[in-house]
Amino acid sequence: MVEPLEVTQVYRACPEEAFAFEVTSELASLDLLGGHDRAREALSFGTAIRSDGFNLFVLGQPGHGKHSLVGRFLTERSRGEAPPPDWCYLFNFDDPTVPRQLALPPGLGRQLRTDIEQLVEELRRAIPAVFESEEYQNRLHEMKQAMGERQNDAVEAVRREAREQDILLLSTPNGFTFAPADGDEMMSPQDYEALARDDRERIEGTVEILQRKLTQAIRQMPRLAKELRDQVQALNEEMLQAVIGAPLVELEERYADEAGVLAHLTAIREAILLHVDSFHADDPEVPPEAVFSRFQVNLLVDNADTEGAPVIYQDLPSHQHLVGRIEHHVHNGTLLTDFSLIRAGALHRANGGYLVLDVRGVLTQPGAWETLKRILRAGEIRTESLEQAYGLISTVTLEPEPIPLDLKVVLLGERLHYYLLCEHDPEFLELFKVQADLEDELVRDEAQQGFYARMIATLAREAALRPLDRSGVAAVIERASRLADDQRKLTARHRDLHDLLLEADHWADEAGVTVISRAQVDKAVAQQLWRAGRIRERSHEQITRGTRMIATEGHVTGQVNGLSVLQVGDFAFGQPTRITATARPGSGQVVDIERESRLGGRIHSKAVMILSRYLANRYALDKPLSLSASLAFEQSYGGIEGDSASVAEVCVLVSAIARVPLDQALAVTGSINQHGEVQAVGGVNEKIEGFFDVCRAGGELSGQGVVLPASNVEHLMLKAEVRDAMAAGRFRVYAIHHVDEALALLTGLELGEADEHGAFPEASLNGRVQARLASFRKAIKAARGKGENGKREGVKEEGAKEEGDDGNGGNGNGGVSDDE
């Protein structure tokens, strides 16, 4: 007979004497990646190799604290690396729509921006002053005066020649005209007509010659005006050179090693000389401020204060947040932009270092995943809107020169995301070749418990919490085993431990103590469970009040208590479920009512098929199994999934066939194979505690218990109330290896051994099953005989397969788990 487990078997305590410290403040901090050796090696490799495509994907379940773990590692790693260059955008004087990118040593970008701002301020004051200076005005006046004299000299030469020919050159509102002279006066028309014809012809010929000479002199005026403009331009340039020469030369000497800066300074010099009119004309075509604005430096990324390589975490990885954006401003109802409105994205800030992203965020932001892949493939950052990238707009805008990319992208996500991307995105593994898989659990042994104590001390120290004494550390370690559902494991999810320590520190503060001990840890655990326990209490209340029928005492045929686990958010609890069975003569079917009603999942349907084959192999090895049986989870209105009820289902079927009652004080969980061996299932702690709570709420405990797979014993970390009841003999936990052991416990009968003919003793449980199945075969044979004799024509054999019935319990769809 199977003996109940001892209390020491269902809970692995952590002895306080195993620790050599009094409080955790005595312990040194450690790297929280300790214990994740595989992930640490992957991170080291992925950050060290510089080849394309070796970006990283950090896999881990929620609760690992992936951000803090990876952030600490990358920060430590980046300290020994050189800071990346500053990145700037400059006005492109050749093509303003394509701003030029400029890389500078760290800190030089900020200095250049300041120097250019100072240069512009100096020029803003000095240039107007030079054009208002007395020297400039005098020289300009002299040029204009000299040019006016040259223009007058050309006309006067013609005038003198005309006077020598007795002809006057007169100025009129309509221009110049020639007239014959009479002394110093113009000859009257009457006197001119009185002249001899030869004299008139001579005067007209002379006027014609003088007219050509005057025309030639006047035609020289535009050339002289252009010459004057050239002289003024040369004067302006000379004066500007005097103003801008010294500051530009100083900057050229300062940035002699930076070819890009020298090119920009040369462009500034040429732009000033090209737009001279902007600085002295009354209404210039290009205002001075527009000219000066082109000289400025748009410092996109400033790494002056960066120590080592940058580590950037982008919490909202949208397209614009990754590649940056080009802003616009409204002027007279028109959207305008220029190079100074280019803004950096996370890729710019992380360039030369590490960019950390949540894969869920990247995948849920429109276009972000494709943008990230395109940039990693191209090896350069193009700042453009999503509409530009996909050709959805055709308006003229800026197209900044792309910036070369040199960084490692580290994606953080769950394992599901990683494997889905591997399966559905062929480019994924080409770009993210390194997976860093965090451990979910750590081994629990003496050495690891000491390591875990240091980890607890580190978490408490980083959160500025009270230190823990040895009892507090032991309590946390025991809770870590419960969270791992394994006596030989400890949870590696830092968030759960961090939250537990925060709550324990709160209760220590409430109690007015300076050290966290077991009492505060236990209270924190109890409060966590109580806050999340409303649905559990309402569910168990339905059982206590009889709304949901569960028997915890007595013996009933064809009825057994199965155990299920319900998951509500991050809180799981167990509750018993009544499983019933019926058995009649038939053609060897076990009808899964859950499957037939489409409430049973595929795994549960598979389990029913396995147990039906087990029964056939056990009790009808060489004969037909003349059985029509049914299985149902009573008062189950959701879905049933999992195979952890298959042991209970075998027991209730055997009970229904043999008409042997089952002990209702026991609940059963476990999975079987076709040989009747019991296999491990999940959620055993919650299942046992759920049945314990229901039994206790129904009255005084009187020996109730749970039957579970022996392979699950090392997963038990039961709460103190269950252990106390076990110690007092009021509650029992049985571990079994074979379904026969469960049948023996539930029926109290001997199973019996088969003889050489496969027959079991009549008084044994197996004998009763065999005898009942034999009676079923006789009933089927008799029914067939009557049908053949025509006495009951058209009567269908009970349980025979109908059209559309696959006859094997089939498979179904998922729902609420009866496993975990």
Side-chain angles (χ1 to χ4, degrees):
M1 197 68 179
V2 180
E3 295 296 328
L5 297 177
E6 300 292 336
V7 174
T8 55
Q9 294 177 275
V10 300
Y11 191 84
R12 182 182 178 184
C14 180
E16 298 178 18
E17 57 272 14
F19 302 119
F21 60 89
E22 292 297 328
V23 292
T24 55
S25 56
E26 302 171 16
L27 301 177
S29 297
L30 53 71
D31 180 7
L32 293 177
L33 266 177
H36 300 275
D37 296 336
R38 191 192 318 273
R40 170 179 280 283
E41 289 297 324
L43 286 169
S44 298
F45 167 75
T47 52
I49 189 169
R50 306 311 301 177
S51 301
D52 293 340
F54 283 86
N55 296 294
L56 298 101
F57 194 113
V58 180
L59 300 75
Q61 296 305 314
H64 269 303
K66 292 186 287 292
H67 294 104
S68 58
L69 286 177
V70 174
R72 286 190 186 95
F73 176 87
L74 294 178
T75 300
E76 185 66 28
R77 174 88 183 187
S78 66
R79 286 175 183 166
E81 301 179 21
D86 294 341
W87 287 100
C88 310
Y89 269 114
L90 307 175
F91 182 80
N92 189 339
F93 293 93
D94 296 326
D95 186 354
T97 63
V98 185
R100 293 174 47 233
Q101 53 92 351
L102 175 64
L104 294 171
L108 203 60
R110 184 186 298 180
Q111 179 182 331
L112 176 62
R113 181 180 63 182
T114 302
D115 289 341
I116 295 298
E117 289 174 351
Q118 292 176 352
L119 173 66
V120 168
E121 285 300 317
E122 183 177 347
L123 296 180
R124 189 179 283 117
R125 294 189 303 269
I127 291 178
V130 75
F131 288 118
E132 295 171 1
S133 66
E134 184 177 348
E135 177 187 359
Y136 174 77
Q137 295 297 332
N138 290 337
R139 293 182 62 181
L140 180 63
H141 177 71
E142 290 174 358
M143 285 182 181
K144 291 180 178 179
Q145 186 176 8
M147 188 57 64
E149 291 175 355
R150 290 180 61 186
Q151 293 173 344
N152 291 335
D153 288 345
V155 175
E156 287 301 321
V158 176
R159 188 190 303 274
R160 286 194 299 271
E161 184 178 351
R163 190 69 183 87
E164 291 173 357
Q165 300 294 332
D166 293 330
I167 295 175
L168 298 177
L169 177 60
L170 303 175
S171 297
T172 68
N174 295 325
F176 292 102
T177 185
F178 290 98
D182 182 8
D184 293 333
E185 299 294 333
M186 182 179 68
M187 184 180 294
S188 65
Q190 296 80 6
D191 292 340
Y192 178 74
E193 291 297 332
L195 293 175
R197 180 177 181 181
D198 292 341
D199 292 337
R200 290 202 305 273
E201 290 178 353
R202 179 185 60 79
I203 292 174
E204 291 173 359
T206 301
V207 168
E208 184 177 350
I209 294 172
L210 293 173
Q211 186 70 46
R212 286 198 297 270
K213 291 183 177 181
L214 179 61
T215 300
Q216 184 177 1
I218 291 176
R219 285 177 177 174
Q220 292 180 0
M221 297 299 178
R223 181 180 61 79
L224 294 176
K226 181 179 181 304
E227 186 177 339
L228 176 62
R229 288 196 300 273
D230 292 343
Q231 291 175 353
V232 172
Q233 181 71 19
L235 174 62
N236 291 339
E237 292 181 2
E238 178 187 346
M239 301 301 291
L240 284 175
Q241 288 283 16
V243 174
I244 67 176
L248 284 177
V249 168
E250 180 183 351
L251 291 180
E252 288 170 348
E253 292 175 351
R254 186 177 302 169
Y255 297 97
D257 297 330
E258 301 297 332
V261 178
L262 295 179
H264 187 58
L265 295 175
T266 300
I268 289 176
R269 185 190 303 273
E270 294 174 354
I272 292 175
L273 299 179
L274 182 64
H275 295 89
V276 173
D277 292 343
S278 298
F279 303 109
H280 67 83
D282 294 334
D283 188 16
E285 182 179 352
V286 181
E289 289 303 319
V291 178
F292 288 139
S293 66
R294 300 173 182 176
F295 305 161
Q296 301 288 355
V297 175
N298 179 3
L299 183 55
L300 197 71
V301 179
D302 182 6
N303 287 313
D305 301 324
T306 302
E307 297 180 2
V311 178
I312 303 299
Y313 169 66
Q314 179 60 50
D315 59 348
L316 182 62
S318 65
H319 170 86
Q320 282 195 340
H321 288 163
L322 288 174
V323 303
R325 64 189 186 279
I326 302 174
E327 296 179 345
H328 294 73
H329 61 84
V330 180
H331 180 71
N332 294 332
T334 304
L335 285 175
L336 301 177
T337 188
D338 59 45
F339 77 100
S340 66
L341 296 177
I342 302 172
R343 300 291 179 256
L347 286 164
H348 295 103
R349 296 191 297 273
N351 204 8
Y354 306 93
L355 176 61
V356 183
L357 302 171
D358 280 310
V359 68
R360 184 188 294 273
V362 179
L363 294 175
T364 54
Q365 290 297 319
W369 177 242
E370 291 300 324
T371 294
L372 181 62
K373 291 193 299 179
R374 186 172 65 253
I375 288 171
L376 292 177
R377 286 195 307 267
E380 59 184 22
I381 310 169
R382 291 187 175 273
T383 301
E384 56 187 357
S385 67
L386 201 58
E387 294 80 5
Q388 282 179 272
Y390 289 94
L392 301 179
I393 59 171
S394 58
T395 55
V396 177
T397 185
L398 299 181
E399 296 183 7
E401 289 182 352
I403 291 178
L405 184 69
D406 177 24
L407 87 165
K408 290 286 183 181
V409 176
V410 182
L411 291 181
L412 309 178
E414 300 176 30
R415 294 184 180 90
L416 176 64
H417 297 141
Y418 179 82
Y419 296 123
L420 286 175
L421 286 169
C422 289
E423 181 177 355
H424 296 290
D425 191 338
E427 297 175 319
F428 172 66
L429 289 178
E430 292 297 321
L431 298 173
F432 293 88
K433 298 182 179 181
V434 182
Q435 60 169 310
D437 200 348
L438 295 171
E439 298 289 345
D440 291 332
E441 298 164 349
L442 305 177
V443 176
R444 180 180 174 183
D445 53 27
E446 287 190 18
Q448 198 70 16
Q449 285 186 164
F451 168 85
Y452 214 74
R454 288 184 60 197
M455 186 174 72
I456 294 169
T458 303
L459 289 171
R461 186 175 292 118
E462 290 184 352
L465 306 179
R466 292 169 175 80
L468 288 80
D469 63 15
R470 290 187 294 180
S471 69
V473 172
V476 173
I477 288 177
E478 292 167 10
R479 179 60 180 168
S481 271
R482 173 57 189 265
L483 292 174
D485 283 325
D486 198 325
Q487 296 178 2
R488 298 165 59 184
K489 297 287 185 179
L490 296 167
T491 182
R493 299 193 301 271
H494 292 161
R495 187 180 68 188
D496 295 338
L497 297 177
H498 179 263
D499 293 346
L500 177 61
L501 293 175
L502 285 174
E503 293 191 36
D505 183 75
H506 168 77
W507 297 118
D509 183 62
E510 291 285 318
V513 296
T514 58
V515 175
I516 300 172
S517 63
R518 178 179 289 274
Q520 286 77 50
V521 175
D522 289 345
K523 184 170 184 178
V525 173
Q527 287 292 312
Q528 287 178 344
L529 298 176
W530 182 79
R531 290 196 300 270
R534 187 187 66 83
I535 295 178
R536 176 191 59 191
E537 291 175 3
R538 298 291 84 79
S539 178
H540 290 175
E541 182 184 12
Q542 290 182 343
I543 297 173
T544 305
R545 297 175 62 183
T547 306
R548 188 180 182 92
M549 293 189 294
I550 296 292
T552 59
E553 55 186 19
H555 292 74
V556 181
T557 300
Q559 174 178 305
V560 72
N561 290 322
L563 294 173
S564 61
V565 175
L566 299 181
Q567 185 80 33
V568 183
D570 61 350
F571 177 69
F573 64 93
Q575 70 173 16
T577 299
R578 174 176 289 183
I579 303 174
T580 59
T582 63
R584 301 180 62 191
S587 61
Q589 277 184 278
V590 176
V591 177
D592 178 10
I593 292 177
E594 305 303 324
R595 180 259 179 183
E596 296 299 324
S597 62
R598 299 190 178 183
L599 291 177
R602 291 183 175 89
I603 299 175
H604 178 260
S605 297
K606 175 185 175 182
V608 173
M609 286 189 281
I610 289 174
L611 70 88
S612 66
R613 293 305 89 196
Y614 165 72
L615 291 174
N617 184 64
R618 181 71 181 274
Y619 298 111
L621 186 61
D622 300 321
K623 301 174 183 178
L625 181 63
S626 301
L627 172 69
S628 175
S630 63
L631 284 169
F633 284 70
E634 303 295 349
Q635 293 182 288
S636 171
Y637 306 108
I640 298 296
E641 180 59 305
D643 63 353
S644 71
S646 54
V647 171
E649 289 169 327
V650 169
C651 294
V652 75
L653 277 171
V654 169
S655 171
I657 295 169
R659 293 178 176 173
V660 173
L662 301 179
D663 188 353
Q664 301 299 298
L666 296 177
V668 184
T669 185
S671 167
I672 67 165
N673 58 27
Q674 293 190 90
H675 301 293
E677 296 169 328
V678 179
Q679 303 165 148
V681 294
V684 287
N685 288 293
E686 289 79 7
K687 291 175 180 178
I688 294 172
E689 291 172 355
F691 188 65
F692 172 83
D693 291 340
V694 168
C695 294
R696 185 174 57 175
E700 187 69 25
L701 291 171
S702 57
Q704 288 89 346
V706 171
V707 179
L708 80 162
S711 52
N712 277 128
V713 172
E714 64 182 13
H715 301 143
L716 295 178
M717 289 292 291
L718 297 177
K719 62 183 181 180
E721 294 91 332
V722 179
R723 303 199 306 272
D724 293 342
M726 290 177 63
R730 294 182 287 109
F731 193 81
R732 300 164 294 169
V733 176
Y734 296 97
I736 60 172
H737 296 86
H738 196 276
V739 68
D740 286 350
E741 296 172 294
L743 287 168
L745 287 168
L746 290 167
T747 63
L749 298 176
E750 292 292 334
L751 272 295
E753 295 293 335
D755 59 19
E756 63 273 12
H757 302 292
F760 293 96
E762 292 184 6
S764 68
L765 177 62
N766 287 334
R768 296 187 184 191
V769 173
Q770 204 168 47
R772 188 83 191 285
L773 290 175
S775 69
F776 287 171
R777 281 194 297 274
K778 292 178 182 179
I780 292 294
K781 186 176 181 179
R784 286 176 177 172
K786 291 179 181 180
E788 292 171 358
N789 294 329
K791 297 179 180 179
R792 296 185 62 187
E793 294 290 343
V795 176
K796 182 180 180 294
E797 178 184 337
E798 177 67 29
K801 181 176 178 182
E802 298 181 357
E803 183 180 356
D805 186 356
D806 62 11
N808 60 6
N811 57 8
N813 297 319
V816 176
S817 170
D818 74 344
D819 188 358
E820 52 178 329

